[in-house]
Amino acid sequence: MSSLPQILFLLVLGGAGYLLYRRVSYLRQTMMLGKPASRTDNPKERWKTMALVAFGQKKMFKRLGPALLHLVIYISFVVINLEVLEFIIDGLAGTHRIFAPVLAGFYTTAMNIFEILALGVLVSCLFFLVRRNITKVPRLSSAELKGWPKLDANLILWIEILLMLAILTMNATDQLLAYRGVEKYIPLGGLWISGSFQWLFDGMSNASLVFWERFAWWFHIIGILGFAVYVTYSKHLHIFLAFPNTWYANLEPKGKMPNMDVVTREVQLMLGLQNAPSGNETAPAEVGRFGAKDINDLSWVNLMNAFSCTECGRCTAECPANITGKKLSPRKIMMDTRDRAEEVSQNIKAGKKGLDDGKSLLGDYISQEEINACTSCNACVEACPINIDPLSIILEMRRYTAMEESGSPAQWNAMFQNVETSFAPWKFAPSDRFNWASEINKEAK
Amino acid sequence: MSMNNTTYQVPTMAEKTAAGESPEVLFWVGCAGSFDERYKAVTLAFVKILNKVGINFAVLGEEETCTGDPARRAGNEFLFQMQAMSNIQVLDGYQVKKIVTACPHCFNTLKNEYPALGGNYEVMHHSQFLQGLINEGKIVMKGGGSFKGKKITFHDSCFLGRANNVYEAPRDVIKALDMELVEMKRCRSKGLCCGAGGAQMFKEPEKGKKDINIERTEEALKTGAQTVAVGCPFCLTMMADGIKNKEKEKEVNVLDLAELIAKDQNL
């Protein structure tokens, strides 16, 4: 027999592997444009968070309907991909269903499970398409999703539907051939789902069936490899990044803002406290910018967050500012961060100016109006099913605005002045601070 | 038994130290607690409770200054750290170990953010402190009175709830009263902000369809509760403004947890 298909398969596999390797290195380099951040403390808690939130999808279950549909696709993704192992061995060795004789009855059971899951994915994807395009769930049809994000979301669903149809078509034609006694095809003793629409192919000749079976097989494997590459260009990266994203997530109380040690040293000097203990003993080589104006001022975790975001909009749907019609949308903060990181990274790759292209995340992508509207209520952080933290980006931008540009809203500047001169955010005389106590025994009873 | 003839004491750390005493707990009053006309009543209510239970407490009085929270949230890290470091000097000067405050913003900052600058204290929100007093039997709710059987809803403060995972303490305090607790649709970890967090208290909101406190007030009114309980000075202002905006101030009260207890105890 000709080994041409095997050579072809090897080329396809190698090509996909090469593309994936390049994309993964590119994404890694892009995320590393962010500042270093140490997030490896308390590994036990980190593994636990990843197990519960990413693997166990704990936070998805705050909304039961979408959670169940998503769970079907997630389980299917993990389980059906076991079959890819057989595809690869068969493709390279020129065998057909190499595990069938080895696993015997269990193989049929496994195939039936895969088929049921495939049908589940089909149904779930159809539901998701309806939610996106017909019933138009608000968080899935907001303005920031116009254009590529909307197309991306729909493409993913259609690709998944086609991949599942390919598996079912392959099994249906494969089993028809097996029952007709065609060489190499192995009867599996009844596949429920694909068997139920085998009649569609009944009238075909063996040659046509072999064509359809092979077509579906190649479509599925090339589809999966192509999808893996596509994912690296897509919001769908969450299927991989959800895991590191939850592992590296913030474990501190959500209300705690990280201390700026650079500022601590300066304040200690101003207060004459040089010898006071500080959080950081060694002086950094360069101070850099206070807060964040562009993606290199954010931490690599912020950037990983941006690439992990699948644009579900649960954050925006819970954001009090967004709910009441303000411009701020935490999802857009993440999308903008990702878009700007990609822009800079591609600039660098193309040998252009990179970060010095005259643009910046704050200003060209995210406006002051957006970051000023945030109440730092942590609803977005709480809502994210994979522990993305849009708030930390917003607060870093406020730091930049206040400390580098003195560009805070006038009322905040007035508040700063009050704190500086009256030691309270309102303009009261510090000597009146304790006046309340004199009222305590005055009240008429 | 009535406390009507009691003279309440508000000792300062300076007085206590001069007398050679070290109080068990420092009551951190906060700026709203010191200056806000409406919210001063909460400070008074809490001090009365501390007096009645016989807690050995003190306040900083004129030596207290802003924790720096609004400055930090608005981006001014310098100002925040200036405030924090001088406050830490004062607190450490008095060897303060334990702090209780009614303001979740002060609570969050003192508890989570001062340690990085060398200030390490056991910090409690007054809801946790009050819950402790109730659990220990030091406060026994009278029940009945104007509260009996009335509906009450609790508005979660973001800086107490999501920021620090304190959801049950304020509810336990409310449950000890003779009232029916009805939850808003968005409560606990899904609670909607009053609109004042992140230094929003100190500026006008950005352009939008609606003010956040109106959205939240509408939700609170939907519960049919006659009392909206809060555990934060900013939430109190925002919710009270919202109720006024809806012209419901005659039917619906916005009260802090300490005020509810003080009222129950006829303080």
Side-chain angles (χ1 to χ4, degrees):
Chain A
M1 233 187 126
S2 157
S3 54
L4 186 66
Q6 283 161 264
I7 294 168
L8 259 176
F9 184 80
L10 188 66
L11 286 175
V12 168
L13 193 65
Y18 174 70
L19 285 177
L20 262 181
Y21 169 76
R22 281 196 34 178
R23 284 296 297 169
V24 170
S25 326
Y26 164 78
L27 288 172
R28 200 180 162 276
Q29 278 164 17
T30 308
M31 289 179 217
M32 289 305 148
L33 292 171
K35 288 203 287 199
S38 171
R39 282 275 176 90
T40 48
D41 59 305
N42 205 348
K44 210 176 137 196
E45 190 61 29
R46 296 190 175 281
W47 287 112
K48 196 179 136 196
T49 308
M50 188 176 91
L52 282 175
V53 178
F55 193 75
Q57 310 209 337
K58 186 180 159 200
K59 291 173 86 180
M60 281 295 285
F61 279 86
K62 287 181 179 176
R63 290 173 192 238
L64 194 60
L68 290 173
L69 295 172
H70 183 268
L71 184 69
V72 170
I73 298 181
Y74 166 63
I75 292 177
S76 308
F77 173 78
V78 175
V79 174
I80 295 176
N81 274 340
L82 293 174
E83 204 187 346
V84 174
L85 182 67
E86 188 184 41
F87 270 71
I88 291 175
I89 297 175
D90 280 346
L92 290 173
T95 48
H96 186 74
R97 293 198 187 269
I98 193 167
F99 291 148
V102 187
L103 299 174
F106 179 72
Y107 188 86
T108 306
T109 311
M111 283 304 133
N112 269 317
I113 293 172
F114 293 172
E115 286 202 350
I116 292 166
L117 290 173
L119 185 70
V121 171
L122 264 174
V123 173
S124 298
C125 286
L126 286 173
F127 266 111
F128 282 150
L129 281 170
V130 168
R131 284 166 60 83
R132 259 178 207 278
N133 301 294
I134 297 171
T135 60
K136 292 196 188 289
V137 173
R139 72 182 159 91
L140 302 176
S141 40
S142 8
E144 68 221 33
L145 296 184
K146 280 214 180 87
W148 165 244
K150 187 182 175 186
L151 178 65
D152 186 21
N154 281 319
L155 272 177
I156 291 159
L157 294 170
W158 282 114
I159 293 171
E160 284 176 9
I161 287 173
L162 288 176
L163 287 174
M164 295 305 113
L165 284 176
I167 282 202
L168 294 173
T169 304
M170 180 189 82
N171 284 352
T173 50
D174 177 275
Q175 285 307 291
L176 258 181
L177 287 162
Y179 287 109
R180 289 184 189 178
V182 177
E183 197 199 348
K184 267 180 84 172
Y185 290 96
I186 303 159
L188 297 174
L191 299 181
W192 309 323
I193 313 281
S194 62
S196 69
F197 65 90
Q198 243 170 4
W199 56 270
L200 277 171
F201 302 95
D202 255 345
M204 286 186 185
S205 67
N206 284 357
S208 307
L209 280 180
V210 170
F211 170 79
W212 276 106
E213 191 276 329
R214 284 292 86 193
F215 176 78
W217 188 91
W218 280 97
F219 185 90
H220 187 70
I221 189 68
I222 293 178
I224 281 188
L225 294 172
F227 191 54
V229 176
Y230 173 82
V231 162
T232 66
Y233 290 91
S234 156
K235 68 163 190 138
H236 213 52
L237 262 175
H238 81 288
I239 60 175
F240 303 114
L241 287 181
F243 295 89
N245 201 71
T246 45
W247 200 89
Y248 287 106
N250 179 27
L251 298 180
E252 302 278 356
K254 287 193 192 72
K256 177 179 174 180
M257 275 177 76
N259 194 63
M260 291 179 71
D261 294 337
V262 187
V263 172
T264 306
R265 271 183 296 275
E266 296 204 20
V267 173
Q268 280 171 339
L269 282 173
M270 282 157 76
L271 294 176
L273 294 168
Q274 287 107 312
N275 299 324
S278 89
N280 192 344
E281 303 304 329
T282 49
E286 53 174 322
V287 166
R289 219 177 245 156
F290 290 129
K293 180 191 187 191
D294 214 339
I295 49 133
N296 62 321
D297 304 319
L298 296 170
S299 79
W300 71 271
V301 177
N302 291 138
L303 300 188
M304 178 172 63
N305 278 183
F307 282 93
S308 306
C309 174
T310 195
E311 299 164 12
C312 73
R314 282 170 174 77
C315 51
T316 296
E318 303 280 325
C319 172
N322 191 275
I323 288 170
T324 55
K326 278 81 175 176
K327 259 193 178 170
L328 175 64
S329 159
R331 167 172 58 187
K332 182 180 167 291
I333 300 285
M334 301 319 298
M335 292 168 71
D336 286 342
T337 303
R338 176 186 171 142
D339 289 349
R340 175 61 183 157
E342 290 238 54
E343 181 179 57
V344 171
S345 195
Q346 268 158 20
N347 259 342
I348 293 172
K349 219 170 104 185
K352 290 189 208 153
K353 284 180 176 167
L355 284 158
D356 302 320
D357 59 350
K359 290 207 228 166
S360 58
L361 179 58
L362 180 62
D364 293 293
Y365 286 81
I366 299 170
S367 65
Q368 291 290 347
E369 185 178 342
E370 290 165 71
I371 62 164
N372 288 345
C374 173
T375 66
S376 72
C377 76
N378 268 301
C380 55
V381 183
E382 179 73 34
C384 180
I386 57 168
N387 289 356
I388 290 171
D389 185 354
L391 176 58
S392 72
I393 297 179
I394 295 171
L395 292 174
E396 284 305 316
M397 291 188 159
R398 282 193 183 169
R399 281 175 165 171
Y400 170 80
T401 306
M403 291 188 283
E404 297 276 0
E405 308 234 295
S406 303
S408 303
Q411 286 175 302
W412 276 355
N413 284 332
M415 178 264 287
F416 294 154
Q417 210 179 355
N418 291 338
V419 174
E420 264 173 66
T421 54
S422 311
F423 311 115
W426 298 287
K427 205 176 180 64
F428 289 106
S431 54
D432 290 344
R433 187 176 272 270
F434 197 37
N435 288 359
W436 61 267
S438 60
E439 294 168 34
I440 198 156
N441 293 310
K442 274 188 204 160
E443 288 178 352
K445 291 285 169 180
Chain B
M1 192 185 84
S2 166
M3 300 287 295
N4 288 3
N5 299 321
T6 314
T7 307
Y8 297 107
Q9 305 293 326
V10 196
T12 62
M13 286 303 291
E15 289 161 8
K16 286 267 182 184
T17 307
E21 285 177 58
S22 61
E24 180 191 324
V25 61
L26 168 77
F27 170 33
W28 183 276
V29 181
C31 300
S34 306
F35 294 117
D36 184 280
E37 275 311 316
R38 163 68 185 89
Y39 191 74
K40 274 195 271 184
V42 176
T43 306
L44 297 180
F46 189 61
V47 164
K48 287 176 186 175
I49 296 168
L50 293 174
N51 268 272
K52 191 200 166 187
V53 180
I55 302 287
N56 180 10
F57 78 102
V59 297
L60 283 173
E62 284 177 28
E63 288 185 276
E64 190 186 284
T65 73
C66 174
T67 60
D69 159 81
R72 183 171 242 196
R73 260 84 208 153
N76 196 335
E77 181 78 5
F78 272 99
L79 185 52
F80 161 72
Q81 292 201 13
M82 292 285 284
Q83 287 303 117
M85 282 191 220
S86 34
N87 280 325
I88 290 169
Q89 279 187 300
V90 173
L91 291 167
D92 287 352
Y94 287 121
Q95 296 176 332
V96 169
K97 301 276 178 294
K98 192 172 167 183
I99 303 174
V100 62
T101 178
C103 172
H105 297 263
C106 298
F107 165 70
N108 178 67
T109 303
L110 293 166
K111 179 174 183 280
N112 296 322
E113 299 182 346
Y114 276 27
L117 297 166
N120 293 289
Y121 319 100
E122 184 196 339
V123 187
M124 292 177 96
H125 183 248
H126 78 328
S127 63
Q128 299 170 311
F129 194 83
L130 292 169
Q131 181 196 29
L133 293 178
I134 293 167
N135 290 348
E136 289 163 29
K138 289 183 181 163
I139 299 176
V140 181
M141 298 288 197
K142 289 190 164 73
S146 58
F147 289 149
K148 195 175 169 57
K150 293 262 175 72
K151 280 187 182 173
I152 183 167
T153 191
F154 178 68
H155 164 77
D156 286 280
S157 153
C158 308
F159 277 73
L160 195 59
R162 277 185 296 270
N164 288 291
N165 287 317
V166 181
Y167 297 112
E168 297 314 319
R171 288 180 170 78
D172 284 354
V173 170
I174 290 170
K175 279 173 196 158
L177 294 158
D178 206 0
M179 301 182 83
E180 185 196 342
L181 176 61
V182 279
E183 294 287 359
M184 285 183 255
K185 201 173 155 221
R186 291 174 282 197
C187 64
R188 292 192 170 84
S189 67
K190 292 195 88 170
L192 184 79
C193 176
C194 70
Q200 298 298 339
M201 186 70 195
F202 308 101
K203 71 166 186 48
E204 290 304 310
E206 273 50 49
K207 209 167 88 298
K209 295 184 302 220
K210 201 188 212 181
D211 284 343
I212 297 171
N213 66 329
I214 301 298
E215 169 87 10
R216 187 55 164 171
T217 301
E218 286 167 0
E219 196 175 358
L221 289 173
K222 260 189 216 150
T223 64
Q226 292 94 336
T227 308
V228 179
V230 295
C232 170
F234 300 159
C235 296
L236 188 136
T237 302
M238 297 305 269
M239 296 307 286
D241 283 355
I243 300 282
K244 248 178 249 159
N245 180 285
K246 296 279 170 190
E247 297 179 347
K248 292 278 183 205
E249 66 267 37
K250 291 221 170 65
E251 298 108 88
V252 181
N253 283 317
V254 184
L255 292 171
D256 182 87
L257 297 165
E259 292 180 300
L260 286 166
I261 294 184
K263 230 173 157 179
D264 173 90
Q265 305 282 305
N266 295 324
L267 299 178

